[in-house]
Amino acid sequence: MIRFSIMLAVLPAIAAANPYDGVYKQTANAECALVGVEGGALEIKDNIFYGVETECRMTRPVNVVDMEATLYTMQCSGEGSVWTDRAMLMKPAEDPDGLIMVWDGYAFVYQACD
């Protein structure tokens, strides 16, 4: 019974885990302790992307066929606006701790913070 209770307590954390969770540098010399500000870092945690003065809920994940990538509907808010967009996320082949994020017409490669 105790094992079952522990399993139930851990299950929501496992379900909420996202393969892209982490803190990523905006630039090579970014300050990783500062998330969501210019010159700082970006963070993905519990299916929420925290960008520069922007927060996006990552919803409706779709695996991209023949790629190790996921397409998300991003429900975003920031700087007094609310919008929905699509973004594709994947891990770079040469840096499995990093992140590639593709928005319509834009592609970004981020290194993970230590």
Side-chain angles (χ1 to χ4, degrees):
M1 188 61 134
I2 293 173
R3 285 186 194 168
F4 182 71
S5 297
I6 292 171
M7 190 172 72
L8 285 178
V10 172
L11 192 58
I14 293 170
N18 180 316
Y20 306 106
D21 279 1
V23 180
Y24 303 95
K25 299 177 183 181
Q26 290 181 49
T27 62
N29 58 353
E31 177 58 52
C32 290
L34 301 174
V35 173
V37 298
E38 195 69 40
L42 308 172
E43 183 175 23
I44 297 175
K45 182 177 176 183
D46 299 329
N47 291 316
I48 299 175
F49 168 75
Y50 300 95
V52 177
E53 298 181 21
T54 301
E55 183 178 303
C56 299
R57 294 202 171 279
M58 301 166 60
T59 65
R60 301 176 56 204
V62 176
N63 292 329
V64 179
V65 177
D66 294 332
M67 295 177 70
E68 292 186 32
T70 309
L71 182 63
Y72 290 93
T73 298
M74 307 291 273
Q75 297 173 332
C76 304
S77 61
E79 299 182 0
S81 297
V82 176
W83 69 96
T84 300
D85 213 339
R86 302 280 290 195
M88 183 174 67
L89 281 68
M90 68 180 75
K91 295 291 187 174
E94 65 280 352
D95 180 12
D97 293 328
L99 176 71
I100 297 173
M101 184 175 243
V102 179
W103 299 79
D104 188 18
Y106 301 94
F108 303 94
V109 179
Y110 301 110
Q111 291 180 319
C113 287
D114 296 327

